[in-house]
Amino acid sequence: MRAVLSLVSGALFGAGLHVSGMTDTSRVRGFLDIAGHWDPTLAFVMGGAILPMLLAWRMTRGRVPLAGGAFPSPPANTLNRPLVFGSILFGIGWGLVGLCPGPAIASISYGGWPGAVFLVAMLAGMWAVPPLRRMLDRQASHA
C-alpha cells in the first residue's frame, strides 16, 4: 500500500511540475533573470507550494501517517555552514541549468541527452557530498 501511495504521490508531484512550468528550463532561467526579461510566474508556483506545506506541517502535529511510519520533524530554524554551502551549490546549479532535483527527474522522459547529463551530474554530486562533508568537518575541527 505504501508503494502505491508513493507512486501516486510522485506522479502527482511530477504532473504538477509539468503543469506549472517548473520543468521548462527557459522559464526557470527567466525567473532568475531579474535584470533582463523577468518571468514572475514561478513565484506564484512557489507560493502555491509553500502555503499548503505550511498548513500540512500544522495539521500533522500529533498524527500518524495512514501508510505507517512517522511524519518528519519540522526543519531546524538555524543557519549553519552546510545549509549555506548547500544553498549556494543548489542556486548555482539551478541558475546554470534551470533544473533542480524534482524537475530533473520529472523531465527524464523528454529531456534528451542534456537532461540525462544533468541527472548523472546531479547524482554524482549527491554521492560525493557526504565524504566531502566529512573531510571538511575534520579539517574544521583541527583548525
Side-chain angles (χ1 to χ4, degrees):
M1 178 65 164
R2 188 174 182 149
V4 171
L5 289 175
S6 296
L7 178 66
V8 169
S9 297
L12 182 61
F13 180 66
L17 291 171
H18 283 291
V19 169
S20 68
M22 288 289 285
T23 58
D24 180 358
T25 59
S26 63
R27 177 169 282 179
V28 173
R29 282 184 294 216
F31 172 72
L32 298 173
D33 185 12
I34 56 175
H37 296 298
W38 186 58
D39 181 358
T41 55
L42 292 186
F44 296 105
V45 171
M46 286 184 220
I50 291 170
L51 293 175
M53 197 62 220
L54 177 68
L55 293 174
W57 281 118
R58 301 264 188 247
M59 293 171 58
T60 58
R61 285 190 189 141
R63 294 185 175 191
V64 177
L66 293 175
F71 288 115
S73 300
N77 291 330
T78 57
L79 281 175
N80 56 26
R81 187 174 56 124
L83 177 64
V84 171
F85 186 63
S87 299
I88 291 169
L89 287 177
F90 178 89
I92 290 170
W94 198 38
L96 288 174
V97 181
L99 288 172
C100 59
I105 292 170
S107 66
I108 290 173
S109 63
Y110 66 85
W113 71 267
V117 168
F118 174 77
L119 186 64
V120 168
M122 180 184 74
L123 293 172
M126 293 167 92
W127 173 80
V129 164
L132 179 62
R133 183 173 174 193
R134 284 191 296 274
M135 181 186 73
L136 292 172
D137 288 344
R138 276 193 306 272
Q139 288 177 352
S141 67
H142 294 324

